[in-house]
């Protein structure tokens, strides 16, 4: 699949007949829904309902037991093949997975690794990328920490760095696993503002596991509720 | 714990024959006084030649360490369980173990047989010996890093080399440089000995003085070595602390 940065002609994220088991129990089954480009889809449900597992399946870091995920821009009937289009899936991990002794700015820049061949990033990132990353870092209130090691900033700042890295990637699908769990009210709102704006501006699908009902009501275009082996999708 | 202690005690008892000495009726205290007496006062007339040899010793150690680092980096990637396939890890680890089994003096002997009696033999001998150690240290460092960071980057589209460079290397780097520094310190000590087999450095001088019974000159050489090794220890400790503090 050919990478086409900055494209606006993106299509929906679609799952069909998706099922995932934990041990002998189905976390969810026969899951079918689609989210059009520009949508922020909130995934909610109690702890252990399978929110993180669903996101891992969408990221193709976990294999589903049945069903398929279809990649944006893929030909009809083509399965989601992230080994070909991984760079189009941005992920905010629950445990952040930042390079602890890399600077905050460097971590954000790492979002663009998939854009370039390995030899292009051997001596660093293009100057234009650095400037863009600095703008994003500033917008998230991380400018004064930009040169500090990511392992040396607070949990909330690390979380915002992880969100910035995924947004900086300009993905077609952005998967965020509880991206505001460590943040206070204003910081959580600024991160959700950024994710909602990313969905609109990049015309991508943002899938966000969230617990906070008020944020879900305010930001979500669609809601997927998981729990007790059942699921419910609301536009 | 008890089993280990008992096993150690058995080993100690079984090892007592080595304390018997030559069996000759020697007055050890008098012998010690005589030998130590030969060392003082040090003969500083050989100070110039000693310093020149010391410089050569450090040069041998520096070159050997550099070559070993360059060889050990790719070697250790191939020997890391989280970076290479199982069969490659098994082969490279076996090779590194084999290299470590052979003492540096034997490596130097082999090198002397190939390139003759000169400092190059010392460089080659120490470089190969160091390769065995650095490959192990580096691969341990790579394996100790939380692999989730590099996996996360790969899940977001980074290639394997990019995931290594940006996700794993920054974390392993301080350990790698710390081990390299330790190897340099070790090589300076080892380079003082390999001269015994003709591989250059201060060992050649030490061997000559010893052969001719010039103990006061041996004393000068040892004093100079002591100064260099102690200075290096102090410097090494400071540099290592600085390097390792960057991981915190």
């Amino acid at each position: 699949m050919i990478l086409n940065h900055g494209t606006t002609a993106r299509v929906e994220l679609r799952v069909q007949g998706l099922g995932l088991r934990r041990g002998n129990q189905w976390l969810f089954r026969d899951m079918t829904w689609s989210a059009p480009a520009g949508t922020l889809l909130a995934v909610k449900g109690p702890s252990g309902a399978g929110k993180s597992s669903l996101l891992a399946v969408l990221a193709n870091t976990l294999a589903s037991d049945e069903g398929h995920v279809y990649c944006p821009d893929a030909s009809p009937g083509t399965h989601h093949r992230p080994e070909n289009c991984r760079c189009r899936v941005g992920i905010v991990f629950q445990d952040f997975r930042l390079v602890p002794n890399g600077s905050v700015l460097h971590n954000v820049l790492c979002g663009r690794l998939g854009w370039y061949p390995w030899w292009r990033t051997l001596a660093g990132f293009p100057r234009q990328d650095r400037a863009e990353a600095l703008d994003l870092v500033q917008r998230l209130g991380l400018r004064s920490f930009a040169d500090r090691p990511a392992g040396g900033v607070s949990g909330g700042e690390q979380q915002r760095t992880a969100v910035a890295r995924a947004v900086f990637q300009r993905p077609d699908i952005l998967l965020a696993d509880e991206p505001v769990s460590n943040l206070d009210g204003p910081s959580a709102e600024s991160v959700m503002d950024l994710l909602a704006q990313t969905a609109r501006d990049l015309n991508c699908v943002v899938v966000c596991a969230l617990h906070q009902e008020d944020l879900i009501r305010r930001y979500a275009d669609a809601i997927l509720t998981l729990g007790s082996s059942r699921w419910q999708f609301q536009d | 714990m008890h089993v280990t202690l008992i096993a150690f005690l058995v080993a100690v008892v079984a090892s007592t024959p080595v304390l018997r000495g030559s069996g000759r009726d020697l007055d050890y205290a008098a012998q010690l006084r005589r030998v130590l007496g030969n060392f003082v006062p040090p003969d500083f007339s050989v100070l110039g030649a000693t310093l020149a040899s010391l410089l050569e010793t450090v040069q041998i150690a520096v070159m050997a360490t550099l070559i070993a680092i360059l060889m050990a980096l790719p070697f250790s990637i191939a020997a890391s369980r989280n970076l290479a396939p199982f069969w490659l890890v098994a082969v490279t680890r076996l090779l590194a173990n084999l290299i470590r089994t052979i003492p540096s003096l034997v490596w130097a002997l082999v090198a002397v047989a190939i390139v003759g009696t000169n400092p190059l033999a010392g460089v080659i001998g120490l470089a190969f010996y160091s390769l065995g150690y650095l490959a192990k240290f580096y691969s341990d460092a790579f394996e100790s890093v939380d692999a989730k960071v590099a996996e996360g980057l790969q899940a977001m589209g980074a290639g394997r080399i990019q995931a290594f460079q940006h996700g794993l290397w920054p974390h392993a780097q301080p350990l790698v440089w710390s081990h390299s520094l330790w190897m340099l310190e070790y090589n300076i000590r080892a380079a003082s000995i390999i001269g015994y087999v003709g591989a250059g450095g201060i060992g050649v001088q030490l061997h000559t003085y010893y052969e001719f019974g010039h103990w006061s000159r041996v004393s000068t050489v040892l004093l100079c070595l002591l100064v260099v090794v102690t200075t290096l220890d102090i410097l090494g400790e400071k540099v290592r602390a600085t390097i390792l503090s960057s991981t915190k």
Side-chain angles (χ1 to χ4, degrees), chain B residues 137-203:
Chain B
F137 291 158
Y138 291 174
S139 59
D140 284 350
F142 292 147
E143 285 180 0
S144 71
V145 172
D146 184 4
K148 277 184 172 180
V149 177
E151 284 167 14
L153 291 180
Q154 276 189 284
M156 294 171 73
R160 285 168 71 91
I161 295 174
Q162 289 172 319
F164 175 82
Q165 188 199 343
H166 295 273
L168 204 142
W169 176 250
H171 210 163
Q173 187 182 205
L175 280 174
V176 165
W177 295 136
S178 170
H179 291 317
S180 306
L181 189 66
W182 179 86
M183 203 71 237
L184 176 66
E185 291 172 35
Y186 177 90
N187 277 342
I188 289 178
R189 289 188 195 96
S192 315
I193 295 300
I194 54 168
Y196 264 69
V197 294
I202 203 162

Side-chain angles (χ1 to χ4, degrees), chain A residues 15-36:
Chain A
V15 304
Q16 196 164 36
L18 205 64
L20 184 71
R21 264 193 309 230
R22 185 182 289 151
N24 292 326
Q25 198 184 351
W26 287 95
L27 287 172
F28 47 82
R29 202 170 185 193
D30 298 327
M31 183 187 278
T32 299
W33 50 260
S34 64

